[in-house]
Amino acid sequence: MAGNLKKFVNPRFVKTIDPKLMRQLFERHFTGETAPIDFENEGADVRDALAEYFGQPVNDWSEGLVADLHRIAELGTSHGLYTILSAARRQRITLFEGTVEDKTDDAPTAHDPKHVALHVYLHHHELFEVAADQMALRAPTAMAEFRGPDRDVPADFTEEASAAFQIAAAALFTQDLQGGYCRLAPYDEDEEFNLVLSHGAPVKTTPVVSGDREEIITVRAVKYAALRYDATEGRLLIGGVLKSQQAELAELFAAHVLGRPGFFAGDHARDLYSLDAITEVGPDFAFTHFHDDTIHSVTIVSAVADLFDWDDEAQASRHLRSWVTKDSNGALRNFTASEVDFRQGWRLGEITFRVFFNVGKKKPAQSTVRLKPPGTLAFRRTRFEKSIHTLIARNGLEKDHDFDLVVEAAE
């Protein structure tokens, strides 16, 4: 963690950052004579002083400054810049008034992602929080999925519901030694209710060098939990929390936001997917995707087959062994010349497939999806998310789902 900050506040950053921004950042944590840097000086003297300050071990920096820099570093990347710009455009916020550099400068340093993140953190803090929340919503690739027994159950996120859910979530994080901090940020997007929970991470001890000796510092970083609820399908996605917390957080959401305690508590809630449709066809199975013109092709690149045998004594199926195949041109075909026979006790346990999308370019865009019943569907959440869900449902890999409803939602 300390190393990441050193990479962020590197010599190039110190040499190019606007001293006025650094002054504003330091003024958040130092007043008057306590400031370690005299920003009244001009030019190189200030940069030299900054270089000297940040050349110290991180544990000698101001704790508040360290906390700020950790947050700024999260958005000080090319992806973070894109997220900031998208959020600013939606809110019609102009990040820089006038010109920040001479108009003849094609590559102003103020447009560097690190510099933009610092500027927005100081001058457009609410926008910064929105961008951080959006990063959290898009980050998880393997979100836990829960589905309720009913459709069209709306999220009623009133002030009372928000307060009750926040208190309950904070208690959950506190119980798991993650501190009592919890901030909620609700967003409605594409008929989906999104909720970001900022909370504390478990305390981490980090060895750092201080002069000629090694010291240990403890830090508690901020983590983000992302909840995405689709009322039409009664589906809740949870990412960014410990696996042991997912079911309890889903219950808290059901009780306080939906007003339906136990909505995600039944066996059905996590029994979502099946590979039986592929098993029935065997190695010749191919995804049908003609319903979606944006899909160029679909290729299964990895598959896992498991062999089970009935144990009379235990009165249960017993796993004997697994057979794994990987092939970028189509993995299922490799089962043809193998010992795997889906008519003789073998079951398909997991597949990974790539969906290629027509995007108007010579090379299609692609998304890699891992599907493992009963409840794991992992892929990077992109603009193609609904197409992927529809593809899975259309090919019979989603349990007890209304295909017409899926198509309607996708459209």
Side-chain angles (χ1 to χ4, degrees):
M1 186 174 292
N4 290 339
L5 278 190
K6 286 285 190 178
K7 290 179 181 178
F8 181 78
V9 190
N10 57 33
R12 183 180 300 175
F13 175 86
V14 172
K15 289 179 181 178
T16 57
I17 190 64
D18 184 350
K20 294 179 181 178
L21 290 178
M22 295 306 294
R23 179 175 187 166
Q24 293 164 4
L25 181 63
F26 271 75
E27 286 177 347
R28 287 170 52 86
H29 309 288
F30 300 99
T31 57
E33 297 179 355
T34 64
I37 296 173
D38 182 8
F39 285 96
E40 296 298 331
N41 290 327
E42 297 289 336
D45 290 341
V46 171
R47 297 192 188 279
D48 290 343
L50 286 171
E52 182 179 352
Y53 182 84
F54 289 119
Q56 302 176 96
V58 173
N59 62 315
D60 288 341
W61 301 0
S62 158
E63 290 186 3
L65 185 63
V66 169
D68 278 356
L69 288 172
H70 271 301
R71 301 218 54 210
I72 295 165
E74 291 175 355
L75 290 181
T77 64
S78 57
H79 183 49
L81 176 61
Y82 172 79
T83 306
I84 288 173
L85 294 175
S86 297
R89 189 172 294 110
R90 285 195 300 270
Q91 298 187 31
R92 298 183 180 181
I93 293 175
T94 301
L95 297 183
F96 298 98
E97 296 294 340
T99 57
V100 295
E101 300 279 343
D102 190 278
K103 289 183 178 180
T104 61
D105 190 347
D106 292 332
T109 55
H111 292 177
D112 177 276
K114 293 180 180 180
H115 299 207
V116 174
L118 175 57
H119 172 82
V120 174
Y121 188 75
L122 294 170
H123 294 280
H124 304 280
H125 195 76
E126 290 186 3
L127 173 65
F128 184 94
E129 296 290 359
V130 170
D133 291 341
Q134 293 301 315
M135 288 270 285
L137 284 170
R138 297 292 173 258
T141 58
M143 302 185 79
E145 184 173 347
F146 298 83
R147 189 164 296 168
D150 301 319
R151 311 287 177 84
D152 299 315
V153 178
D156 188 16
F157 199 69
T158 62
E159 289 187 9
E160 181 180 355
S162 172
F165 182 72
Q166 182 172 352
I167 292 172
L172 173 62
F173 297 133
T174 301
Q175 175 185 318
D176 287 342
L177 308 182
Q178 293 176 274
Y181 169 71
C182 183
R183 176 183 68 87
L184 304 186
Y187 300 93
D188 288 313
E189 184 176 336
D190 296 333
E191 300 181 359
E192 183 180 76
F193 175 72
N194 295 334
L195 186 63
V196 177
L197 283 72
S198 306
H199 63 93
V203 170
K204 181 179 180 181
T205 57
T206 303
V208 296
V209 175
S210 178
D212 59 352
R213 67 185 187 279
E214 182 178 295
E215 293 184 355
I216 303 294
I217 62 173
T218 59
V219 292
R220 186 190 297 280
V222 174
K223 287 188 64 179
Y224 298 92
L227 282 73
R228 302 174 55 193
Y229 177 67
D230 186 332
T232 302
E233 300 187 34
R235 181 177 65 201
L236 175 68
L237 300 177
I238 297 179
V241 299
L242 301 174
K243 187 175 182 180
S244 59
Q245 295 174 334
Q246 292 169 351
E248 190 166 349
L249 196 59
E251 171 59 23
L252 295 179
F253 183 87
H256 297 293
V257 180
L258 301 184
R260 295 280 299 272
F263 190 68
F264 300 116
D267 292 339
H268 64 276
R270 297 285 286 146
D271 188 17
L272 307 172
Y273 302 103
S274 169
L275 295 175
D276 290 346
I278 300 179
T279 301
E280 291 174 4
V281 176
D284 294 327
F285 175 87
F287 275 94
T288 299
H289 58 83
F290 300 110
H291 63 277
D292 191 337
D293 292 337
T294 64
I295 298 179
H296 175 273
S297 58
V298 185
T299 304
I300 297 176
V301 297
S302 175
V304 178
D306 301 309
L307 178 62
F308 290 86
D309 190 22
W310 182 257
D311 187 328
D312 289 328
E313 183 175 341
Q315 287 295 296
S317 293
R318 179 168 54 97
H319 179 259
L320 299 179
R321 60 183 179 276
S322 297
W323 210 91
V324 181
T325 175
K326 297 181 180 181
D327 192 328
S328 59
N329 294 316
L332 290 181
R333 64 183 183 179
N334 294 334
F335 286 140
T336 302
S338 74
E339 62 175 318
V340 175
D341 187 342
F342 293 121
R343 298 167 299 179
Q344 301 294 327
W346 287 89
R347 303 176 193 170
L348 193 59
E350 176 184 336
I351 62 169
T352 299
F353 58 95
R354 292 197 181 107
V355 187
F356 297 86
F357 294 92
N358 297 310
V359 290
K361 297 181 180 180
K362 186 175 181 180
K363 186 178 181 180
Q366 71 177 53
S367 181
T368 300
V369 184
R370 174 173 166 261
L371 177 58
K372 182 178 181 180
T376 299
L377 178 64
F379 62 95
R380 186 171 294 282
R381 307 289 158 168
T382 66
R383 54 182 167 155
F384 306 119
E385 181 174 356
K386 288 187 177 180
S387 291
I388 291 173
H389 275 289
T390 304
L391 176 70
I392 291 170
R394 284 271 190 174
N395 283 270
L397 306 182
E398 196 167 272
K399 284 192 173 182
D400 299 326
H401 211 77
D402 186 338
F403 296 161
D404 293 335
L405 183 62
V406 175
V407 175
E408 181 183 344
E411 292 174 348

